[in-house]
Amino acid sequence: MSAQGGVGEQAGGPVGEPVRWRVAMEAALYGPGGFYVRPGGPGPAGHFRTSVHASRLYAGAVARLLVSVDAELGHPQRLDLVDVGAGRGELLAGVLAALPEATAERVVPYAVERAAAPEGLDPRVRWVDAPPAGITGLLFANEWLDNVPLEIAEDGRYVLVAPDGTETPGGPLEAADRAWLERWWPGAQREGRAEIGRARDEAWAAAVATVDRGLAVAVDYAHTRGARPPYGTLTGFRAGREVAPVPDGGCDVTAHVALDSCAGPGAVLLTQREALTALGVSGGRPPLSLASTDPAAYVRALASAGEAAELTARGGLGDFGWLIQPVGITGGTLLG
């Protein structure tokens, strides 16, 4: 990654000197000792709760999506499943466990993650630092794009940040970033604060380019052009609590994703509530009659309904965005 600008805006500047946010995020999250690459510890699950950690129903829904992609592809001999931003491999493990045996036998699973592979990883999983080329199947990125480093702008200038989180004004915006704001965050190139999603657009386009035939899906907390937050969304998380976004490697640093700017030709944007409902995740309560005929089954169904309700809740996980990008297939029936 490169950064251009005045004194203090270069990636290789003096330690502790303010740099642009994209440089600071890269170092804090993925540099030596960074939040996502430090060895040991609980990994991301120890600091924030995602849909993957909320319920096995989520992995089950992704498994059903992969089965649909497999059918659309004509059941190829090799079916790729690529998890981008795999954490400790929890989603892959859940999907592999939920797949029908005949499908699982043909699946080649990849975990794309910049941290080292965890102990006890399923030997079928190939641990890589970038998506493989020539994917036939499903590329799935759950809460990955929000951690792709990006620039922060305020009043038409870059925002610089020191390791302690102190911000100062930087140089004027470069042409490409001004153009992105003009198109995707109107008015922000002149006044106000905004997050420039151009780096996320490029990262997603590069990931989609690795798919020969199949589906690429990005899931994240997101916003669209008509409802950009006036002061941005940059924040931090540590040990389950939201904290100030301090780029010192001690906390996650994240910002919501402009998924509409990432979308390529033929892409569809849905809420997680819409996507999971189409994939069979329902928060409906089981019939009370089941409680008298099979109490244990009723309790299991009630627990499942509670988990489904969390995954699809308004004001929570259900409001996440799903960006669905078919490549070489119609993709129109994959989510109902």
Side-chain angles (χ1 to χ4, degrees), residues 56-214:
R56 290 180 295 178
L57 295 176
Y58 190 77
V62 176
R64 288 190 290 277
L65 179 59
L66 180 59
V67 169
S68 295
V69 172
D70 183 36
E72 185 81 9
L73 292 169
H75 307 289
Q77 184 176 1
R78 171 192 174 112
L79 182 64
D80 295 315
L81 171 60
V82 182
D83 181 8
V84 183
R88 295 296 188 268
E90 301 96 332
L91 178 60
L92 277 177
V95 173
L96 291 172
L99 285 172
E101 184 177 351
T103 307
E105 290 174 348
R106 292 180 289 111
V107 168
V108 179
Y110 292 87
V112 182
E113 183 57 71
R114 293 170 70 171
E119 295 182 2
L121 183 70
D122 188 319
R124 292 174 291 178
V125 175
R126 305 183 183 193
W127 197 269
V128 295
D129 60 5
I135 294 168
T136 298
L138 175 64
L139 180 144
F140 199 87
N142 184 73
E143 294 194 40
W144 167 59
L145 285 172
D146 66 282
N147 288 126
V148 172
L150 81 174
E151 302 285 11
I152 307 297
E154 190 164 347
D155 299 334
R157 307 182 74 85
Y158 291 108
V159 176
L160 308 184
V161 62
D164 66 358
T166 302
E167 294 184 341
T168 53
L173 299 179
E174 297 162 10
D177 288 336
R178 285 200 311 272
W180 189 93
L181 288 177
E182 180 69 35
R183 180 177 181 185
W184 295 110
W185 206 310
Q189 78 278 13
R190 294 183 297 276
E191 61 182 1
R193 186 177 174 100
E195 294 137 5
I196 303 173
R198 187 167 63 89
R200 275 111 179 251
D201 297 355
E202 294 169 353
W204 181 242
V208 173
T210 65
V211 181
D212 277 357
R213 291 184 67 230

Side-chain angles (χ1 to χ4, degrees), residues 258-276:
L259 276 181
D260 51 345
S261 75
C262 296
V268 176
L269 287 174
L270 299 174
T271 65
Q272 175 155 296
R273 181 168 49 257
E274 293 168 329
L276 291 185

